Amino acid sequence: MRTWQVERRKRTRHLIELGGLIAKAGIVELTGDDRATIYGALLWMADKLQSDQGEHARELWAAKGKQAFAVERATDAPTISQERPWDRA
């Protein structure tokens, strides 16, 4: 496989994993899959991270994420995005 193909696959996997985090957090359902709202929220995060409060926000968000991953591993409970409407019926 050529180098550019390997790099492209790595980039694609990385982007898919990032999209998975958005789904895992329940953002898709909470926004009604409104791409403008999701993009706006991400832009707001970027602005926050670039502000004088950026380091504090990063610490809070990292702690919250680590805690959520730990709870998920400990309980093996599905996240919001793993629940499907037909599972609730």
Side-chain angles (χ1 to χ4, degrees):
M1 192 174 302
R2 294 190 168 122
T3 303
W4 66 268
Q5 290 173 313
V6 171
E7 290 304 314
R8 183 176 177 190
R9 285 187 180 189
K10 284 193 327 192
R11 180 179 182 275
T12 299
R13 179 176 176 86
H14 181 73
L15 293 173
I16 289 168
E17 289 172 351
L18 292 173
L21 290 174
I22 290 171
K24 184 181 208 86
I27 302 299
V28 176
E29 291 84 6
L30 292 169
T31 62
D33 200 11
D34 183 340
R35 309 290 168 91
T37 300
I38 295 169
Y39 187 43
L42 293 170
L43 290 172
W44 175 80
M45 280 180 55
D47 287 343
K48 186 75 163 177
L49 290 169
Q50 292 172 359
S51 75
D52 58 341
Q53 301 170 356
E55 191 57 36
H56 180 67
R58 186 182 333 274
E59 290 170 4
L60 286 174
W61 296 340
K64 187 170 182 74
K66 288 175 186 176
Q67 181 183 25
F69 278 136
V71 167
E72 183 181 328
R73 277 191 302 272
T75 62
D76 201 29
T79 59
I80 294 170
S81 65
Q82 291 172 324
E83 294 178 10
R84 293 176 180 82
W86 53 86
D87 292 339
R88 293 184 214 134

